[in-house]
Amino acid sequence: MSNDPATEGEASWTPASELIPPELRKYLDSFDRLNPLQSKALPVVLSTTGHVMVVAPTSSGKTLIGEAAALRSIVSDGKPAVWLLPARALAAEVAQIARRWSAHGIRTVELTGETNMSSDAVRRAQLWVATTEKFEALYRRASLKDVIGGIGCLIIDEVHLVGDPARGATLESLIARLRAAEGRTRIVALSATVSNAEELAAWFHADLVRSAWRPTQLTTRLIPYDVPTQGKREDYEAAKDDVVLPLLRSLVGEDLGSASPRAAAAESSSAVVFCGSKAGVVRTAARAAGVPYRGIDVETVVESCFRRGVGIHFRDAPRASRALEAFRARDLRVLVATSGLSTGVNTPAKFVVIRDLELGMTPLEVSQAQQMFGRAGRAGQESEGFGFMLVPRAEESDWKGRFSDGYAATSRLTGQLGDAILAELLLGSVVDRTSARAWFEQTLAFAQNRATVDLDGTVDNLLKRGFASEVDGRLAPTEVGLLTSRLMIDVDSAGAMRRMLAELPVPANADEAEELVVQTVATAAASLRDRPVNERTYSDYVGRLLAGWSPRVTARAADRFGAQVCMAAAQLALRAPARMRENPPPGVSMAEFRRAAEDMPRYLAWVAALGYADASTWAPAVAGDLARRLTWWHLSPHPERGTGRLLWMLERMLEPHRHRTAMHDLWRRARAAGFSSPDAINARPRGVDLSAETFADLVGARADLRLGPPVDLAVPSVPYRTSSAQARVTAVSNTGSSRAITTTRPAAGTIDLVVPPRSSGRVAADVFLYTRDGDFGYDNLVVDIEITAETPAARSPIEEAVALVEDLAAAHPALRHARGVRRLFQGERKRLRESVGPFIAADPRLAPVAIALAEHHADPEAAIVALRTNLRALLRESSRNELRSPHAVLRSREATEAEVQVTLAALLASLQVEAGIAISEGHPLAVARLNEQWALAGPRHAQPGAIEAFIPPVLPRKIETVSAPAASGSRAVAEPRCAWMEEFAGRG
């Protein structure tokens, strides 16, 4: 396929002293001579001030270019530098290289998904070595805004990954944010061979340095094989085995896999085989070693293969690091691995074999194949390298063409445009629709395809789902939007979680509460529900793990097997941790469940934070307990239900970078001392990182909630005691047949219970307190009330709404049609959607009015029925040939029927109900989405005409009208509905 001999044709080797300035030599003293690539690129990096992009083959010495760029920024310019890498393993190795500079006073921090640092530790560092995702998360941390602004140089390793489907959008957004800031942060981008290097460099105004020099000769070849025309999966795998196994033996020796392989010698050949899955790795390694693997646990297979000269390497593989070191030392001749090894450094082999054309469930990209081939032939260890890739015979010519054309990085941003815009709103680089357009014009997506994208539609979607607000043309993230962006949750997953949480039934007990929250997160979050797990292999085992779960919970995830795997992982980690170490059935890997358990806490933390950011009730408390127990499930003694609050406090006693090393001891001491919650910890423990003053602040941030008796039974104002003033208190009161909700923030010492409409006698209340710092508390009470004219239930919702309407902002312009609103809604739909969409976007200023008109109902159906009834009572009938904004309608207290419907939709949206507009015979009708179904929220007539979709543009053919929920006889008694919350509050 190709033969790329080593060459020095572009440049010559140069003494390091000629190109490295004197002030930098002590940091780079291991280099006597610079190779042709380094000789060409270093003068550009060290003598110019603009952005630079260096493109050269794998193993050509680009790491030194990054080192020089970082040192110039730190030493010569006095500014910190950031080095971005695509994988944790690569970041760890680069951080290890940079740590040798610590002897000269340069402070380095490594920031990946497995490490964390306090803002102070990051602030003190001069070099950050980070994965792209981790750096972006830090970028969004408000406390680091000034430090981010002072970064002198950003080194981006593998910049062509802007075209990666998973991480490309994040990297592109980051570069777009910095590319125009020529006087602030300099970008030095490094890349392996990419066919559109000129386009990438031009995009961010970079000087392009290209080199084809490579220290060793690399020859690559396609190996065609015949794919079975039909058969089982085993037949397809066997077809590849029949090619790979003879090829391996021809490369490294016919004795491979024999019981007594010949001793490794310095000149013996070595090979890395890349497989697309862990199962493929185990199969290929076992067959190469000649050992059984079916029905045998992975650890036994690993040991058997190792003894016969074959190593196994993938994430969570038993003793994977031992296999890697043995391969590097030439104690093993063959290493079989997943693609994760291809992004590492210093894994030299004479031969590389690519077995599979899929990585998991994703097709192999040319760039990934090139990266794998780059492991073949490394300077100083292998003088030449050979790469082989298996391809079905019918695809051979196609792959030849793809390699000939090379890999072209193509923007992936438009598929995640909402996430990107929300991040820019958080950072302040987008403040209105005009600046959103200006930001988009900095992106690779715009540079590559100047065709317009629907930016306004994307912004409208953020408004509709409550992630952003637009007031007088100014855009800003809502509290939920800030939370979503800072935790780097995608807006589609966050929107789905929020909708599903609103529709959750009240759990019957603590077990079901846990299960409902886990199921909601696992089903709503795309990265959880779409986990690439083999359902046929795992189904029986997952089913057994979930056998004891509530049937109404498991039914909600019946068609999402990835979600079921996450639920099973939670079952293991939370309720049966010992089983995490058991030998699973053949083909099942416990590592799959451990990874699922590791992936869930971020989403659970988002739900937990809704308690303070939103008027949420029981779910955030349960999620907060789950998030911390899943994070620390491996502690001993095992964290049981209700200890999440204790873990919350212990985490804050340690610097983030000490969590992994010090948390075990702190937890063990706390449990040995009898603590199960933070409430009784009033003395600073030894060995923690807090000052006495900071510890006192932490004690003051706890959420221990204690209710007192109502002050006045006619107006049940309930006093409560808590140590935290920066908190939200939310109360759900019920009479047995109906519920009402009220919330207040900040916590002020009392909360007025809203009595459900048409209530008398006994009322129960569940009261939840959520602090800004992440703690929660719970208490409840039952009280007999006296209904008087002052009782909240007796006050007219109309009167309450009128007082609130007076504070609404001035009206927006109206939509007009010379022949009336009916003709307006019969006009061109796209233009009309753009005009009406902002009228029904979620507006937090309308929420108090909507709550009042909904009579504080906690049940969505009851809230809609009350809202439409009271809205009509609030507004006098009027006739006009225009459609005004909901603000104008409410302030004027009069409306046409069309304005009633649009205002109703806007009020529903302000309550985070997904709302829209349908059209019937030219008249708009408010619609709402409840329990995954669209329904008419407020038609004037019981039998409207044919329904046409408008916003959203697709609706079901048959659509019913929302009606009040039927009273449940089993709920006739007024009693706390969430008394089981005591198990999570963990008072001690």
Side-chain angles (χ1 to χ4, degrees), residues 249 252-263 285-291 303-310 333-334:
R249 292 192 173 93
V252 302
E254 291 294 335
D255 63 335
L256 177 65
S258 65
S260 302
R262 63 181 174 82
R287 297 213 60 186
V291 302
E303 289 299 324
S304 300
C305 289
F306 191 85
R307 287 195 295 269
R308 292 179 175 238
V310 179
R333 284 179 287 162
V334 174

Side-chain angles (χ1 to χ4, degrees), residues 230 283 396 399 463 496 929:
Q230 59 184 358
R283 175 195 181 97
E396 183 180 8
W399 273 100
L463 299 174
R929 192 180 189 202

Side-chain angles (χ1 to χ4, degrees), residues 439-511:
W439 165 81
F440 182 72
E441 290 176 358
Q442 305 297 320
T443 66
L444 179 62
F446 181 79
Q448 289 185 325
N449 182 3
R450 294 177 182 268
T452 58
V453 299
D454 189 7
L455 276 176
D456 283 328
T458 302
V459 170
D460 289 343
N461 189 47
L462 292 175
L463 299 174
K464 173 185 172 184
R465 300 171 90 167
F467 296 116
S469 63
E470 186 174 27
V471 178
D472 299 329
R474 301 287 290 181
L475 293 169
T478 62
E479 279 201 77
V480 176
L482 290 171
L483 169 67
T484 301
S485 190
R486 286 206 170 108
L487 288 180
M488 295 187 71
I489 307 291
D490 64 281
V491 295
D492 287 339
S493 294
M497 282 193 288
R498 200 174 188 193
R499 187 186 73 249
M500 292 175 66
L501 287 167
E503 296 171 354
L504 285 180
V506 177
N509 51 54
D511 280 348

Side-chain angles (χ1 to χ4, degrees), residues 112 170 276 764:
T112 68
T170 300

Side-chain angles (χ1 to χ4, degrees), residues 264-266 268 322-332 348 381:
S268 64
R322 180 193 66 171
L324 185 57
E325 291 306 316
F327 182 75
R328 287 172 173 169
R330 292 297 181 264
D331 294 331
L332 293 178
Q381 302 194 45

